[in-house]
Amino acid sequence: MKKLTAIIICLLLSSVAFSQEKEGFFKRWRNNHTVHDTIYIYVHDNDTIVVDNAEEDDEEDEEFSEGIPVPVDTLNTKNRYQKVVLFDNGTWLYYNIERPEIPDSISSDHWETQWVHTYRDIALNDLPDSVTLRLVDSVHRFCIPHPGPVTSQFKFRWHRPHRGVDIGLHMGDVVYAAFDGIVRVALPTSMTGGYGNVLVIRHLNGLETYYGHLSSYIVKSGDIVKAGEPIGYGGSTGHSTGPHLHLETRYMGQSFDPERIFDLENGTLRCEEFVLHKHYFNINSHYGQTDAQSLAASKQAPQERGGGSGSVSKAKKSYHTVKKGETLGKIAKRYGTSVNKICKLNGIRANKVLKVGQRIRVK
């Protein structure tokens, strides 16, 4: 009796499902899973691609889908700015993503791909008292590299300068490019030490952003990236006690507090045009201070250049401007030091070709 009842119920459901040609069971099932705000892409006779944001009600979506194929998936190609869009009727087409316009001049000055830090020949005193940086405009936008709590700020930490901020994340969380730019550095832990797997992106205004401790990165040196584009995944490589993103902002090699431009807690930009003062580069200067407080704080301890770790050096620094025909050996002999020490001070190899006019540290 129970089997007979079950069979009758199945027959009744089947008759309802197939009895309505336009409002059948399978059509209702499909429309219940229609994703609103879908980008519909279709081609006119003149091959012009049109993109619409569909925000219709259920009935309009159903009517629209009758004549227009619905995109169901997107595939990557070898070209990062070209995707393949797949439709529900088995067709596909290429869709080109707008590529940021990055001038060649950005990668022509102090462009090093095998060293995390560049601008080593430019001293703090060589920089202007202030510079105005346009962060965003009508064409170039921004993105918070990862939304999360700030777990460590720009400050002295364990008697060492921590020249960025740490943002909490989980292993494998996506990390995004903060602004449009070009990747200068994409290096593994074996070549960066404390930074672990690190990316450095140079932006249109000369600003550079550092992304450290990544588990892996998915861009390479020379790649042009858009603000908000995925560039890597969070991790705990290098000198790290747990998964987090180490974020730095630098200008002409000098670091300053990223929280001066990013409201990391709320995922917003503090301003569209940022006035960067020279005293911001001191480790004692941080967001929340007035300019007068920052200036006073910057005089509390000698300024130290370098990476995210290391103690403040009180030794007087000496620099040499390279002249025609000079080698590292000749310069080392002149200053009573060694080639190895000069290389360590400047983060260069012994076989590096020196350029006339280049400024290197010798002590």
Side-chain angles (χ1 to χ4, degrees):
M1 185 64 181
K2 291 183 179 180
K3 290 183 178 180
L4 180 59
T5 302
I7 292 172
I8 293 173
I9 292 174
C10 289
L11 289 173
L12 288 173
L13 289 175
S14 299
S15 64
V16 172
F18 291 99
S19 63
Q20 301 178 24
E21 181 179 352
K22 293 185 178 180
E23 297 295 329
F25 172 80
F26 293 106
K27 177 170 284 293
R28 290 199 302 274
W29 180 87
R30 185 191 69 181
N31 286 330
N32 284 340
H33 290 75
T34 298
V35 179
H36 297 281
D37 302 326
T38 300
I39 296 179
Y40 291 97
I41 304 173
Y42 51 97
V43 182
H44 286 289
D45 293 337
N46 59 2
D47 293 334
T48 301
I49 294 180
V50 179
V51 180
D52 284 334
N53 284 328
E55 295 182 357
E56 309 294 330
D57 57 27
D58 289 343
E59 293 181 1
E60 291 176 337
D61 276 340
E62 184 176 342
E63 182 179 351
F64 180 79
S65 63
E66 288 292 339
I68 304 299
V70 178
V72 294
D73 200 1
T74 304
L75 303 179
N76 295 325
T77 67
K78 290 183 178 180
N79 182 347
R80 291 171 44 247
Y81 294 97
Q82 189 174 67
K83 308 292 183 181
V84 174
V85 181
L86 303 179
F87 296 92
D88 62 350
N89 65 353
T91 61
W92 59 273
L93 59 77
Y94 285 111
Y95 175 57
N96 294 319
I97 300 173
E98 185 179 357
R99 184 175 186 267
E101 292 295 331
I102 307 295
D104 295 337
S105 58
I106 289 184
S107 58
S108 62
D109 179 46
H110 290 80
W111 187 258
E112 296 188 61
T113 60
Q114 298 300 306
W115 298 96
V116 176
H117 303 300
T118 187
Y119 299 106
R120 291 181 298 275
D121 59 329
I122 298 180
L124 178 62
N125 291 335
D126 296 334
L127 300 181
D129 289 335
S130 65
V131 60
T132 301
L133 303 178
R134 167 60 64 176
L135 300 177
V136 295
D137 55 32
S138 59
V139 177
H140 304 286
R141 307 312 297 165
F142 86 99
C143 177
I144 294 297
H146 183 79
V150 176
T151 58
S152 186
Q153 297 174 315
F154 181 89
K155 62 181 180 180
F156 267 104
R157 186 180 66 177
W158 307 318
H159 306 292
R160 295 172 179 268
H162 182 243
R163 297 191 175 277
V165 295
D166 291 345
I167 303 173
L169 49 65
H170 298 290
M171 188 74 71
D173 280 354
V174 179
V175 175
Y176 304 93
F179 303 102
D180 294 351
I182 182 170
V183 179
R184 179 173 66 81
V185 166
L187 293 175
T189 302
S190 59
M191 298 182 67
T192 67
Y195 282 104
N197 296 327
V198 66
L199 292 171
V200 178
I201 300 177
R202 183 174 294 181
H203 307 290
L204 283 78
N205 52 16
L207 188 72
E208 288 192 333
T209 49
Y210 288 43
Y211 310 79
H213 306 312
L214 302 174
S215 60
S216 62
Y217 42 79
I218 55 178
V219 292
K220 63 183 183 301
S221 178
D223 279 352
I224 292 176
V225 295
K226 287 177 67 70
E229 180 178 343
I231 55 175
Y233 300 98
S236 185
T237 55
H239 296 169
S240 171
T241 57
H244 69 277
L245 172 66
H246 176 78
L247 175 67
E248 289 187 17
T249 48
R250 290 185 179 244
Y251 182 76
M252 301 294 284
Q254 301 282 353
S255 60
F256 64 94
D257 188 357
E259 291 194 88
R260 288 191 177 276
I261 60 177
F262 295 117
D263 182 346
L264 297 167
E265 297 290 347
N266 296 312
T268 60
L269 203 61
R270 297 196 189 278
C271 57
E272 294 187 356
E273 195 171 75
F274 174 60
V275 179
L276 177 59
H277 297 286
K278 184 186 291 186
H279 52 81
Y280 288 177
F281 296 129
N282 192 282
I283 193 64
N284 295 313
S285 173
H286 55 80
Y287 174 73
Q289 298 171 330
T290 65
D291 282 345
Q293 291 171 333
S294 171
L295 184 60
S298 68
K299 297 177 180 179
Q300 293 178 7
Q303 175 70 29
E304 181 239 1
R305 283 181 57 87
S309 62
S311 59
V312 173
S313 174
K314 297 183 180 180
K316 185 177 180 179
K317 300 174 183 179
S318 297
Y319 292 86
H320 173 78
T321 301
V322 178
K323 299 178 179 61
K324 185 176 181 179
E326 286 187 324
T327 63
L328 284 174
K330 290 181 179 180
I331 295 172
K333 185 176 180 179
R334 175 178 175 178
Y335 289 92
T337 184
S338 66
V339 171
N340 187 44
K341 287 182 179 179
I342 291 179
C343 289
K344 286 184 177 180
L345 288 173
N346 294 275
I348 59 177
R349 294 188 175 93
N351 61 354
K352 178 176 176 60
V353 177
L354 300 179
K355 298 179 181 179
V356 175
Q358 180 179 350
R359 197 164 180 263
I360 62 174
R361 183 180 172 188
V362 292
K363 288 185 180 179

